[in-house]
Amino acid sequence: MTDTANIDRLEKDVSAVKGDISALARQITEMMNSLAGTARKEARRGYKQARATAEGAIGDLSERGGAMMDAAQEAAAGIEETVEDAIVQRPIAAMGLAIGLGFLIGVTWRR
């Protein structure tokens, strides 16, 4: 073969390789765009799930807090009734207890 024929053949081969590289670059770009879209969808789905879980947990905590508050109010009301009954039934003993507690608090407070 002549040098011109070799050069023509080499130019054709280089052109074919350029075309293959260009096609490969397009395929890689399409694949990366597809993966990015899938990742975005998965991230959104994960965010929505995390948000729903957090909202559910907050709702549960709110319900528990409300139930605890109700229980505390009921207990306080029960204690109040018990103290009232004790004062009505034994007023002198209740006064003595109040004076004694006041004295103990006063002694403790001075230290």
Side-chain angles (χ1 to χ4, degrees):
M1 284 194 180
T2 63
D3 287 334
T4 306
N6 285 335
I7 291 173
D8 287 340
R9 196 168 123 225
L10 185 60
E11 285 177 352
K12 286 180 186 178
D13 289 345
V14 168
S15 179
V17 169
K18 283 182 181 179
D20 290 344
I21 290 173
S22 178
L24 183 59
R26 276 193 305 276
Q27 288 176 350
I28 289 172
T29 300
E30 289 171 4
M31 185 180 290
M32 294 301 284
N33 288 337
S34 174
L35 286 174
T38 301
R40 241 187 325 264
K41 287 177 188 174
E42 288 298 316
R44 262 192 225 115
R45 188 171 62 88
Y47 170 75
K48 287 178 182 177
Q49 282 179 330
R51 184 174 178 171
T53 301
E55 286 174 352
I58 288 170
D60 289 346
L61 288 174
S62 178
E63 287 176 19
R64 288 181 189 165
M68 290 174 68
M69 188 62 133
D70 291 344
Q73 287 174 342
E74 288 176 17
I79 290 171
E80 182 181 351
E81 288 176 20
T82 303
V83 169
E84 280 182 32
D85 290 343
I87 290 171
V88 168
Q89 290 176 2
R90 297 186 193 107
I92 294 174
M95 271 256 305
L97 180 63
I99 291 170
L101 283 174
F103 178 76
L104 286 175
I105 292 172
V107 169
T108 305
W109 190 262
R110 285 185 189 170
R111 291 183 184 192

